[in-house]
């Protein structure tokens, strides 16, 4: 009698990339990973000349809206994204728990 069956695990493709926003010739970015069902938000990078202009918030909002449009959950590593989510509860349904 066989109680446990071993399922073959399938490899999941992980894609990396970045959301980018250009202003005044400078580029701010939000690095991500993407699997079948999860958008991992890793790191925001904003040039000094764009800090305090809301560009990082615009990047995060774009990424979260994109995740929602594509029926993805988000896994957050970036502290800025985590803080954005804390102050924008309308995106709480996207957070991978």
């Amino acid at each position: 009698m066989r109680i446990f069956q071993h399922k073959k695990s399938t490899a999941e493709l992980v894609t990396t990339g970045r959301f980018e926003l250009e202003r005044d010739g400078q580029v701010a970015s939000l690095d991500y990973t993407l699997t079948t069902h999860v958008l991992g938000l890793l790191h925001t990078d904003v040039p000094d000349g764009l800090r305090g202009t809301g560009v990082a918030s615009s990047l995060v909002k774009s990424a979260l809206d994109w995740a929602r449009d594509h029926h993805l959950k988000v896994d957050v590593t970036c502290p800025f994204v985590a803080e954005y989510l804390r102050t924008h509860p309308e995106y709480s349904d996207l957070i991978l728990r």
Side-chain angles (χ1 to χ4, degrees), residues 17-29:
R18 62 178 23 180
F19 292 93
E20 294 182 341
L21 184 59
E22 182 182 348
R23 286 202 184 145
D24 302 325
Q26 299 180 76
V27 178
S29 62

Side-chain angles (χ1 to χ4, degrees), residues 2-97:
R2 183 180 260 185
I3 297 174
F4 299 102
Q5 283 188 322
H6 295 289
K7 289 185 179 181
K8 287 185 178 181
S9 63
T10 56
E12 187 169 22
L13 178 64
V14 177
T15 302
T16 61
R18 62 178 23 180
F19 292 93
E20 294 182 341
L21 184 59
E22 182 182 348
R23 286 202 184 145
D24 302 325
Q26 299 180 76
V27 178
S29 62
L30 171 56
D31 295 332
Y32 69 83
T33 58
L34 179 63
T35 63
T36 306
H37 303 288
V38 179
L39 177 66
L41 300 176
L42 307 176
H43 176 73
T44 52
D45 184 29
V46 178
D48 290 339
L50 294 178
R51 291 183 186 228
T53 65
V55 71
S57 293
S58 294
L59 280 168
V60 174
K61 181 181 183 326
S62 295
L64 295 172
D65 289 341
W66 189 87
R68 177 167 280 138
D69 290 345
H70 290 84
H71 310 286
L72 300 171
K73 291 291 187 182
V74 294
D75 186 17
V76 179
T77 305
C78 175
F80 184 86
V81 176
E83 180 62 22
Y84 184 93
L85 286 167
R86 190 183 70 73
T87 60
H88 292 83
E90 65 271 23
Y91 292 107
S92 64
D93 61 305
L94 299 177
I95 301 170
L96 183 66
R97 299 186 195 272

